Each structure stands twice: as structure tokens, then as C-alpha cells.
Amino acid sequence: MKPRYDLAVIGAGPAGVAGALTASFAGLDVVLIDAAPRPGGQYFRHLPQGFNAQAPGALHHGLDGFTRQWETLRARADVLLGHKVWAVERAEGTVTVRCLEGDREERPRTVTARGLLIATGAHDRPLPFPGWDLPGVLTAGGAQALLKGNLVVAGRKVVVAGTGPFLLPVAAGLAGAGADVRGVYEANGRLGLARHPLLAAGKAGEALGYGATLARHRVPYRGRHAVIAAHGEDALTHVTVARLDSAWRPVSTRTVECDTLAYGYGFVPQLELPVQLGCATRADADGSPVVTVDGGLRTSVPGVYAAGESTGVGGAVLAEVEGRIAGRSAAADLGRRVPPLPRLSRRRERLAAFAKALLEAYPVRPGWQGWLRDDTLVCRCEEVPLSAVREAQDLGATDARSVKLLARPGMGWCQGRMCGYAVACLAGEDPAAPRRPIAQPIRLGDLAAPTRSPLEG
Amino acid sequence: MPDVVVIGAGVVGAACAYYAARAGLDVVVVDRGPVAGGTTGAGEGNVLVSDKEPGPELDLALLSNGLWRELAEFDGFEFEPKGGLVVAETGEVLEALTGLAGKQGVEHTVVPSGGLDDYEPHLAQGFAGGVFYPQDAQVQPMLAAARLIRRGADRFGRGTLMLRTGVTVTGFLRDGDRIGGVTTDHGDILAGAVVNAAGTWGGEVAAMAGVHVPVLPRRGFILVTEPFDEPLIRHKVYTAAYVTNVASDSEGLETSAVVEGTPSGPVLIGASRERVGFDRTVSVPVLERLARQAVELFPALADRRAIRAYCGFRPYCPDHLPVIGEDPRAPGLHHACGHEGAGIGLAPATGHLIAQTLAGHRPDLDLTPFRPDRFEERR
Amino acid sequence: MNQPYDLVRARPEPEFEISVDGAPVPVIPGQTIGAALHGAGIRSWRTTRIGARPRGLFCGIGVCFDCLVTVNGSPSLRACLTEARPGDRVSTGARAGQDGPGGRPGDGGGHGTDGGKTVNGR
Ligand SMILES: Cc1cc2nc3c(=O)[nH]c(=O)nc-3n(C[C@H](O)[C@H](O)[C@H](O)COP(=O)(O)OP(=O)(O)OC[C@H]3O[C@@H](n4cnc5c(N)ncnc54)[C@H](O)[C@@H]3O)c2cc1C
Ligand SMILES: Cc1cc2nc3c(=O)[nH]c(=O)nc-3n(C[C@H](O)[C@H](O)[C@H](O)COP(=O)(O)OP(=O)(O)OC[C@H]3O[C@@H](n4cnc5c(N)ncnc54)[C@H](O)[C@@H]3O)c2cc1C
Ligand code: FES
């Protein structure tokens, strides 16, 4: 451990690892920090050693490339896994990263660096609907994480629903791992696998692979369909699937028996750390706040860079390219000689244009609000039903923040990560960049004690 | 044409509107944002009499305390008459504290060291004693503001009390020398009188009328814990250092945590005081100090998590008193702002007194200490 | 057949046990407490403060906080992030959802074609 690094990188997904490695090759002293016990982020989530998996690549495309980068990085840079970052500060050209080490003991640790690359990725964007808090209802990413990180198949009879190309790998993964996938319900138009946008990005092989897997397992893939209610006493037993019109209003419904629903309506970039630092944000094509960056992935705050999903949801390949560009910028800004690489920027532009097209092809349409009943929970943590949100609005809460102040959605454990998008929609606005001075819960005892650097053991 | 336009739908504006409507006046409340979106949405909800030196602010607090109890019948804003416990670290401090309590003339009980347990079973050992103030209470300030406006409208007629959100006041209309309404980004509103309840922005609003009212921001952070299933803390609890902090003139950081449970489950730990303008940047050292003080009071908190922190900007005037009353420099303009860290507690009394002056009655309290033009001589 | 294991050609180390409200649950070294529970067919292990609703895994990656458990007396840990250790005593403070459909530990309900016990027992 060093008292001060040139660059701290938060996030060991494709963006962070590529960024850290590139910066290290360019001569910077780099430290990489991630909350997870293993590298990979969401896409390259690794299995624990305990499985002795001989063919881990079966669960990911391109794992070998990532693994090579990771092994190289480990030999060149310091890596702090199992470190949750709860706050970042910047003063006089030094960034202070405050972490909690360990998944249960949680020792406070402080890392300092001259520059910071934020590559904290995204989480699923669920929409509320009646029964969404029944056990057995999971986010699509959650089902994927169970499989990739624990070799646990999320359920026996599974329905996959929501919107976006991500539903395909999730369904294919579940089917390939032995689940009976009862159907994939895409709320937007089914573009047809042959015309699937993934093809345009030169990911034809990947998309066709998912398609083939689904076809082999005879999994129906329906466009303009959604799960609009989940049923069961203490756990999920069946869902109501609706055919939708173009605004997502239900046209007709039927029941599908299942013990598990894996669903998601896109992703929410995790922005608490850049917001803490005062980085400017903008609304992405889907209205989600993302970090504003220049062509070199510099944020509005000097010495702070962002890459991957934090700058806009675009998948693992774009994340890696952005990481590389950000690593180069960080090195250049600290005076290292970095020859220009216009090819990389052009590649990023192509991939970003494609990501934007995807966001536009799979929007969230307003009709979902009609799926809610008065007693449907909008906020899971504080158990706030739709009626309470409406009452707050009637009292004069005209934006998402004042709805939260009056009715408490977003005040609980998850701090609006799960309901924030929905509450913003219900309030009639784009979601605002999250202000969360505490990015990870921290024990008061740990907050009270003076934090130590890893140097001090 | 309404009799009164109230600028600001925070807790103070809400109280002014409620009492004015009760006095038979037609009221329009305008706010550039939503209801309770200003400092009221960043406050803690203490309704305290315990922390005030004898004097005009304490008189205001006592009047307000009684009014909160009356308003509590409306329900729906988590009014809790739970009482406050001020603890002293040393015998010397305890003596000073009991001395103050005696001078305040407020209901209180001196609690010896051994008696603290009965009030707060989880309180740390080793305090010299404390003073319990049964009148200290708590409200959920955002709901209080919203419900006061709603109850006023329900009770006195929707034509009598109207809330208009998303309307920014941009200037004043004059009727000769008198203020006769406001200009807004949504058109002019003529009115018999205008109440400036713009909180921390009250100075800006006053300036639009050409008068000087120095209201400045004093930043405060509050830490919020994970929700508790069973309440750990029964009253508002703070150390005697709080009283000196509140009255302090220091620019620098001061913290003296008031720790309390809430009906919704979390424990609130607040709040710090610093003068840093409108800077929202997180200050980790401030959060650390709040946490330290909370754990010193309640060691059991050490193992529980902070999940949230937020900050707001108290509206303060150089002499730490609010500005309440009609402005002789701009007749027709009444100020109700600058309540610093006590605006929630002091809101009903402020509203009540403003309504009395609006209706041409003699106010129940002498408003001289709160005069809007009291800063002129110091300029 | 244990398809996910075959897929990656896993040769898992011997499993160990943790206890969940007294009942044993098998774990492959490295699995999280949440994954082990879910894999064993236990779908919920907490009830909410207000409506006493059953909750288990939702986001699976530490952002929703639905999966909170107390481990060896340490409260409010996210089961989906907390790696299980041999002998861990997990208490849920509520009914462990064992009476829900497919909710008996070890019966493999809701675990795909490969029951939790069987898989982990390889
Ligand atoms: C649950 C989930 C599963 C997904 N699965 C797939 C998939 O199977 N296929 C696919 O194509 N795409 C998947 N995605 C989409 C995924 O976002 C991108 O493919 C890709 O992983 C983005 O790369 P990234 O480097 O930007 O971020 P990520 O890969 O998300 O990496 C971000 C890293 O930052 C770390 N981090 C975040 N906040 C903190 C903090 N405060 N302190 C410390 N560390 C922190 C995280 O632990 C994580 O390792 C998934 C997304 C989610 C949310
Ligand atoms: C951290 C913290 C803790 C606190 N704790 C307590 C406590 O425990 N007890 C207590 O009594 N007090 C507390 N306070 C103080 C209390 O919050 C304030 O004194 C009180 O909320 C002020 O209320 P207000 O209605 O005057 O102002 P605000 O709530 O700020 O309302 C003013 C309104 O005016 C509006 N406005 C401004 N300019 C215009 C314009 N040009 N046109 C239209 N509208 C305009 C704003 O949008 C705003 O909504 C605390 C404050 C902070 C920051
Ligand atoms: S399942 Fe969401 S935090 Fe664990």
C-alpha cells in the first residue's frame, strides 16, 4: 500500500479493470478498489474458488480477455477487493476514498490518490407492479448474479420479463442451466431475433447464440407482453401476463404458473460517488442521469474520470473501451506521454451511438403506471403504497423529492435505488441525480472512529 | 383579490396562512417549488423550549409550544409530546444547567445521575445528571406544513386558503407607498398585504421590495440511521453543550448532537452548524463528529448503521432572532423569516402573531425585538 | 443432472453447513448466505416492519436491502453480499419462510431441476 497513488479506480468490472491497466501501462501508480470479493463487475462476475470450475467461460462471452487483463493488472497494481466505498472527497488535488473492508466486520480504510476513475456500473431498474415484492420475484440481473456468482439457478419454473436486450442472456442462461423458462416477455416490440440490434454491433454471434439456446429449449419470446401482476401467498405461484398496446396498456391477460420471475426494465447507473464530488450529470437517452464526460472521459471535476455504465448504459464492450480511454486521459493529465489513439475514440463513438439506439428502441412507456393499484407498494423498503404517493401529490408535493419528504418513498434502506425511477415517473419528471452522502451504510461506531489508511493495518 | 399573499410554503408560511385564514382573511400561498421543499424539508422537527435563554425567543417558543399542542388535534404530522432530556457531563455543567432551567421558568425536572436510567435505559454511564423538559416535542415538519395548509383550506374554505406551487415571486406591486401584491413568473397577484415567509431566501425577497433584512444560511447536517424495530431512545436527548452552540457566533463548525427516535423507525442525529454559504458538498468530518457524539450518548448505536445524511441551510439573522412583523419601510409587507434552527418550533406562534397584525389586532407578544428594521442602525 | 455445474465443469469442494434459525443449510465454499438459502429453496427470511411481508432476495447485488439477516449476532447484513462461513448462525428475526410453497430447506423447491441439497451434495 502506498500513502498516495497517482490514480484510484473504483470498480473492477470491464471499465475499471481496463482503465486501471491502461493507466498502469502508461506509468501511473494505480490502486483498484471494488466492493466484491472477486473481480469482474456484473458482466464478468466470477465464481468462487470453491467451485473449481474448469470452464468458467461457459457463462460469459470474452472471459478469457478479461482474465488476462486482470492477471496482468494484479502483477502491476494494488488491488483492494472486498472494499465498499462509502464516500469520496477531493481537496487540493488529492482524492480521499473512504472504504469499509470486509463483508461483515467492516474495517474503515482510507485510500488517497491524485486522480480518480469512477467505474461503478449500474443496477437493475425494476418497475413496481402488484406483487413485485413477493419472494420469488427477482431482478433479471439478480437472477444472473445468482448463476454467475454462485451457480444457483434462480428457480425451477421461471418467467423472464421487462424490456431490453439484456432479457435474452438472462433467459438463455437460465434455460441453459436447467430452468424451465416459461416465456420471455418483452414489453416493447419484439424486433425479431434476426433483426436484433445486437447484430448491428457486430455481436451477431452472441445474439444468435442466445436465440439458438432459447429455440433449443423451446422458450417462447413475445413482444408487447409484460408481467403486470405477481400472485402467491408467501411466495410466487403465478403471474398475470398481459398483451400490451403501444403505450403499454393491457389489452388482454392470461395467467402463467411459475415459481420465479426475473425481470428488469433497463439499468440505473450508480452515481452516488460522482455526485458526492460534484461531477456534472446529464439525462441520457432514456432520461437516466449519467455523468457528463468529454471525449477523454473527464468529468467536470479536474482529476476525476468516469467510464462504463456511469457515463451511460452501454454494456461490457463499450465499458472496456471507455475504461481504456479514461486510463489514457488520467496518465496524460499527470504528464505521462500518451500517444493519441483516434481509433479508440472512433470505436467508442460507434458503440455509444449503438447504445443510444438501443435505449431508444427499448424505452419505458407510461402505460405501466396503469398496472398499479392503490395498494400496490411503490417503495418496498418503507412500504409506501401508490395511494400515499397520490395523497402527497394532492397535498402539494409537485416533484419526486417532495413526494419523498411527505410520503417516504426512497427514505428507507435502499435510499431510492429501487423505487427512485418509478417515483420520478409518477411525479412526472426525469429522475434526478441521486444525492447520497453515504453511498454504503456505515456503522456509527466506524463513522465515529478516526479512519485509518491500509498502511496502518 | 386575496387579502394576503404569503411567499413561501414552508412551515412558517403554512402557519401564517393557516392563522390568517382562521382570522377570516382570504389567503394565497405561493412557492417557487413544492410544499415544504425549502429548509422545512431539511429540518429535524424539534419543538424545543429547553434550549432557549430567557428572553423574547423563549417567550415565542412557549407560545408556539402551546399552539402546536392545539394543532396536534389535526393529526397526520407525527406530533409527539415526548419531552427532552438534557444531560450534563460534569457536576459543574449540571449546576449551570439547573441554573439556566431555574431562570427559564419552564416546566422541568432535575434528574440526578442515578435517575437518568429511568428516562433513557440505553444512555451511556457516567453523566453527572440532567434536566428533563416535558414540554419539548417533535413534529414531522414537511407533513406539518402540508397539513396546516390543507386543514386551513378544509376548515375555512378552499376559496379562503389557496396553495399555488411552482410560482416564483419576482417583485412587488405598489399602491402608492404601500405594497399591494407581487409579480410572479405566472402573472401578477394583487393583494391587500404580502407576507415574506421565504425562509433562508427572505433577505432576497425583502431586497425586491427595496428593504434590507439580513438573512444568511447556516448549514446543518443530519445523520439518519437504519430503522429500528423497537425504539431505543425515548426522548430528545442532547448534551448541555448544545445550548452554548446554538447561541454561538462562531463561523466554524459546531456540532452537538440531538439524538432521537422517530415514529418511522430511524434515529435522527443532528445537527451541525457552520457558515459556509450554500455549499452542499458532503463534509465527512462533520458526519464523523455527529456519529461520535451520538455513540457517546448511546453506546448501543455503535453497532447500528447510518444510511443517510442530508443538509439544509438555516435562515439566520446576525442577532439570532427571527424577523416578525410589518416593515415600516414598506407598509403592507410583513416579514416572517429568519428563524434559524428553530423555525419549525416557532412556526405556529409566528403565524398567529402575523395573523393578528394582518387583521389589525394587537399581537399577543411584543414584536419589538423581532422588528424588521432593527438592523438599520448597525449598517 | 446438475446442469450449471456441468456447464462450467465444476468440481466443488466439500460443502459445509450453516444454521438458519436452527435449521442446517448446505453451502459450497464461497457462496453467499443469500445464494445458499435461495439455492436450498428458502425464498424468504425476513418480514417487513410495517406490513410483516416476507422478503428474501430481490436485486441479488446489494442494492435493495431486502435480504437483510443477522449473522452470529451482527445485525443488518445483506445476505446476498455476505459470504457464508462454516458454522455461521443466521437468525432472521422472523419466520424463515419455511412454510411457503417450495420453501422447505433442502427440498430443492424453486431451485431449478437440481435441488439445492443434491447440487451442493455433489
Ligand atoms: C446484476 C447485473 C447483472 C448483469 N449481467 C450482465 C450480463 O450477464 N450480460 C451483460 O451483457 N450485461 C450484464 N449486465 C450489464 C452490465 O452493467 C454491463 O454489461 C457491464 O458489466 C458494465 O461494466 P462496468 O465496468 O461499467 O460496471 P460493472 O461491471 O457493473 O462493475 C462495477 C463494479 O463497481 C463496483 N462498485 C460499485 N459501487 C461501488 C462502491 N460504492 N464501492 C466499491 N465498489 C463499487 C461493483 O462491485 C462492480 O464490481 C448486468 C448488470 C447488472 C446490474
Ligand atoms: C439541519 C437542520 C436541522 C433543523 N432542525 C430544526 C429543528 O429540529 N427544529 C426547528 O424548529 N427548526 C429546525 N431547523 C430550522 C428550520 O428547518 C427552519 O427554521 C424552518 O424550516 C424555516 O421555515 P421557513 O418556512 O421559514 O422556510 P422554508 O421552509 O425554507 O420555506 C421558504 C420557502 O420560500 C420559497 N421561496 C423562496 N423564495 C421564493 C420566491 N422568490 N418565490 C416563491 N417562493 C420562494 C422557497 O421555495 C421555500 O419553500 C433545522 C434546520 C436545518 C438546516
Ligand atoms: S438481494 Fe438486494 S440487497 Fe441483497
Side-chain angles (χ1 to χ4, degrees):
Chain A
M1 292 306 130
K2 308 208 169 58
R4 192 171 81 151
Y5 292 89
D6 292 329
L7 184 70
V9 180
I10 307 176
V17 168
L21 186 60
T22 308
S24 161
F25 275 135
L28 298 191
D29 243 339
V30 178
V31 59
L32 177 72
I33 305 165
D34 198 298
R38 292 176 294 280
Q42 302 304 349
Y43 185 75
F44 293 119
R45 183 178 285 274
H46 284 30
L47 280 172
Q49 285 284 312
F51 284 97
N52 290 314
Q54 308 302 303
L59 295 174
H60 324 62
H61 285 267
L63 181 63
D64 287 353
F66 179 84
T67 309
R68 269 196 307 277
Q69 289 185 35
W70 173 250
E71 294 301 337
T72 317
L73 178 68
R74 258 211 328 206
R76 307 181 55 97
D78 285 336
V79 169
L80 301 175
L81 293 173
H83 282 63
K84 300 188 270 259
V85 177
W86 71 270
V88 284
E89 297 162 285
R90 184 175 173 280
E92 287 145 25
T94 296
V95 176
T96 305
V97 182
R98 293 178 191 270
C99 320
L100 295 169
E101 180 199 356
D103 63 3
R104 49 176 102 181
E105 286 82 8
E106 292 190 342
R107 285 166 297 269
R109 293 282 188 254
T110 299
V111 175
T112 54
R114 294 165 76 188
L116 177 69
L117 168 54
I118 298 172
T120 46
H123 58 71
D124 282 271
R125 183 163 71 188
L127 290 177
F129 62 86
W132 71 307
D133 71 325
L134 267 178
V137 179
L138 296 175
T139 63
Q144 191 78 332
L146 271 177
L147 183 62
K148 284 186 172 181
N150 292 276
L151 276 197
V152 168
V153 186
R156 191 195 312 241
K157 285 184 267 174
V158 187
V159 166
V160 176
T163 193
F166 180 52
L167 301 183
L168 291 177
V170 171
L174 287 166
D180 170 9
V181 179
R182 313 304 298 274
V184 180
Y185 299 104
E186 163 61 61
N188 280 296
R190 176 180 181 247
L191 299 177
L193 280 181
R195 290 194 296 125
H196 197 280
L198 275 179
L199 300 178
K203 297 178 86 185
E206 195 178 328
L208 289 176
Y210 298 141
T213 307
L214 292 182
R216 189 163 66 241
H217 292 274
R218 300 216 171 76
V219 175
Y221 173 49
R222 307 225 182 288
R224 284 279 163 77
H225 276 74
V227 169
I228 63 162
H231 314 276
E233 210 33 60
D234 281 321
L236 185 66
T237 54
H238 56 288
V239 294
T240 302
V241 172
R243 199 155 66 78
L244 305 175
D245 70 9
S246 60
W248 290 14
R249 283 175 300 237
V251 177
S252 59
T253 63
R254 70 199 154 88
T255 300
V256 176
E257 215 184 292
C258 58
D259 56 45
T260 301
L261 169 66
Y263 86 112
Y265 286 86
F267 294 100
V268 177
Q270 308 209 71
L271 295 196
E272 33 279 291
L273 301 181
V275 170
Q276 286 181 2
L277 290 168
C279 298
T281 60
R282 64 180 177 90
D284 206 2
D286 64 346
S288 274
V290 296
V291 182
T292 311
V293 286
D294 69 6
L297 280 307
R298 294 174 188 85
T299 70
S300 64
V301 175
V304 180
Y305 310 81
E309 311 288 53
S310 347
T311 71
V313 170
V317 179
L318 176 59
E320 185 195 326
V321 170
E322 289 196 345
R324 287 174 62 191
I325 298 175
R328 295 167 60 84
S329 299
D333 295 349
L334 286 177
R336 302 302 190 278
R337 279 198 35 213
V338 183
L341 202 57
R343 204 162 30 85
L344 203 55
S345 299
R346 281 199 300 275
R347 179 125 192 266
R348 171 177 179 238
E349 277 158 29
R350 257 195 332 273
L351 287 165
F354 172 62
K356 179 159 178 276
L358 275 187
L359 287 180
E360 283 162 355
Y362 296 100
V364 173
R365 309 241 178 231
W368 68 266
Q369 296 183 27
W371 309 345
L372 310 190
R373 297 186 313 240
D374 276 355
D375 63 352
T376 303
L377 295 190
V378 171
C379 164
R380 305 164 66 90
C381 302
E382 294 297 302
E383 299 171 76
V384 181
L386 177 67
S387 58
V389 170
R390 296 301 186 211
E391 190 193 354
Q393 290 177 308
D394 182 50
L395 283 173
T398 50
D399 59 8
R401 177 172 170 264
S402 52
V403 167
K404 165 176 154 181
L405 292 176
L406 294 187
R408 300 190 60 78
M411 286 268 194
W413 267 110
C414 91
Q415 288 295 296
R417 289 172 172 93
M418 293 296 103
C419 67
Y421 178 77
V423 173
C425 291
L426 291 169
E429 60 185 25
D430 273 349
R435 226 188 273 143
R436 296 188 189 112
I438 297 179
Q440 292 283 328
I442 174 169
R443 287 190 180 98
L444 286 167
D446 290 338
L447 187 53
T451 54
R452 291 182 297 168
S453 80
L455 271 181
E456 300 165 62
Chain B
M1 178 176 111
D3 299 309
V4 190
V5 173
V6 176
I7 307 170
V11 69
V12 173
C16 290
Y18 174 82
Y19 284 103
R22 200 182 70 163
L25 303 171
D26 282 353
V27 187
V28 174
V29 184
V30 296
D31 200 299
R32 61 183 173 197
V35 70
T39 310
T40 298
E44 198 179 343
N46 295 318
V47 176
L48 300 187
V49 294
S50 53
D51 66 335
K52 309 215 167 26
E53 300 271 351
E57 199 191 359
L58 181 58
D59 297 340
L60 198 60
L62 283 166
L63 174 62
S64 225
N65 199 279
L67 294 173
W68 268 126
R69 278 157 214 277
E70 279 173 37
L71 295 171
E73 68 167 284
F74 293 160
D75 215 21
F77 51 81
E78 301 178 7
F79 180 80
E80 282 191 294
K82 53 161 80 167
L85 181 68
V86 189
V87 294
E89 290 90 338
T90 63
E92 219 174 15
V93 175
L94 181 63
E95 216 167 283
L97 196 62
T98 31
L100 173 68
K103 278 194 288 170
Q104 283 170 320
V106 174
E107 254 182 81
H108 68 272
T109 314
V110 177
V111 185
S113 173
L116 290 171
D117 257 14
D118 298 338
Y119 285 87
E120 292 293 343
H122 294 279
L123 190 71
Q125 299 299 309
F127 284 103
V131 176
F132 180 69
Y133 290 87
Q135 279 164 289
D136 282 357
Q138 177 171 317
V139 297
Q140 204 278 31
M142 297 74 91
L143 283 172
R147 297 252 190 244
L148 271 185
I149 293 176
R150 171 52 47 89
R151 294 301 154 132
D154 289 349
R155 231 179 220 207
F156 312 117
R158 297 214 170 199
T160 302
L161 203 177
M162 256 176 56
L163 169 64
R164 290 182 62 189
T165 52
V167 175
T168 304
V169 170
T170 52
F172 287 89
L173 298 167
R174 303 228 173 218
D175 178 6
D177 270 355
R178 276 190 70 83
I179 296 288
V182 293
T183 61
T184 79
D185 59 348
H186 283 67
D188 297 351
I189 308 174
L190 287 163
V194 177
V195 176
N196 170 16
T200 315
W201 303 273
E204 289 168 26
V205 167
M208 292 177 196
V211 292
H212 173 68
V213 176
V215 183
L216 295 162
R218 195 176 184 191
R219 184 169 78 174
F221 273 99
I222 292 182
L223 263 182
V224 186
T225 71
E226 62 182 279
F228 285 68
D229 289 334
E230 322 238 300
L232 181 81
I233 299 162
R234 298 179 182 171
H235 308 94
K236 293 177 175 293
V237 182
Y238 60 91
T239 61
Y242 181 83
V243 185
T244 46
N245 264 342
V246 170
S248 157
D249 270 323
S250 155
E251 299 255 326
L253 167 67
E254 289 157 19
T255 59
S256 40
V258 177
V259 185
E260 65 184 314
T262 60
S264 341
V267 168
L268 299 184
I269 303 163
S272 57
R273 293 164 188 271
E274 303 164 87
R275 293 183 200 150
V276 291
F278 283 104
D279 181 1
R280 285 196 176 275
T281 319
V282 203
S283 169
V284 172
V286 175
L287 303 184
E288 287 173 346
R289 270 170 72 161
L290 287 171
R292 207 168 303 141
Q293 290 170 351
V295 171
E296 277 163 15
L297 279 170
F298 293 98
L301 286 175
D303 207 28
R304 306 312 290 255
R305 287 170 170 79
I307 64 170
R308 189 159 89 89
Y310 59 90
C311 76
F313 302 94
R314 301 178 187 85
Y316 86 91
C317 295
D319 59 3
H320 302 288
L321 288 178
V323 179
I324 304 172
E326 187 166 10
D327 197 323
R329 300 161 298 178
L333 175 60
H334 299 244
H335 299 285
C337 54
H339 294 73
E340 197 163 340
I344 297 153
L346 301 178
T350 304
H352 172 70
L353 296 168
I354 287 282
Q356 287 181 317
T357 60
L358 284 168
H361 301 309
R362 220 180 101 97
D364 287 350
L365 280 185
D366 174 18
L367 293 182
T368 314
F370 311 117
R371 325 189 302 287
D373 58 344
R374 66 184 192 266
F375 306 98
E376 288 295 336
E377 48 265 39
R378 287 190 227 159
R379 276 229 276 174
Chain C
M1 193 175 89
N2 296 295
Q3 292 184 26
Y5 286 63
D6 296 343
L7 215 55
V8 297
R9 291 197 275 123
R11 281 180 290 160
E13 287 170 16
E15 65 186 37
F16 60 78
E17 275 184 358
I18 60 175
S19 87
V20 179
D21 291 335
V25 170
V27 183
I28 301 285
Q31 280 183 324
T32 64
I33 290 173
L37 291 182
H38 195 91
I42 303 173
R43 290 306 187 85
S44 65
W45 49 81
R46 179 175 83 88
T47 52
T48 56
R49 259 181 313 132
I50 301 163
R53 293 162 178 261
R55 295 280 171 86
L57 291 183
F58 180 60
C59 76
I61 62 164
V63 290
C64 78
F65 295 83
D66 259 356
C67 64
L68 297 176
V69 285
T70 298
V71 183
N72 305 331
S74 183
S76 307
L77 294 171
R78 282 166 274 181
C80 68
L81 296 185
T82 309
E83 204 171 289
R85 293 179 196 164
D88 271 347
R89 276 169 296 105
V90 178
S91 49
T92 63
R95 205 180 39 90
Q98 298 178 0
D99 47 4
R104 257 149 299 143
D107 78 350
H111 184 274
T113 50
D114 32 79
K117 197 106 201 195
T118 357
V119 168
N120 287 351
R122 265 171 75 110

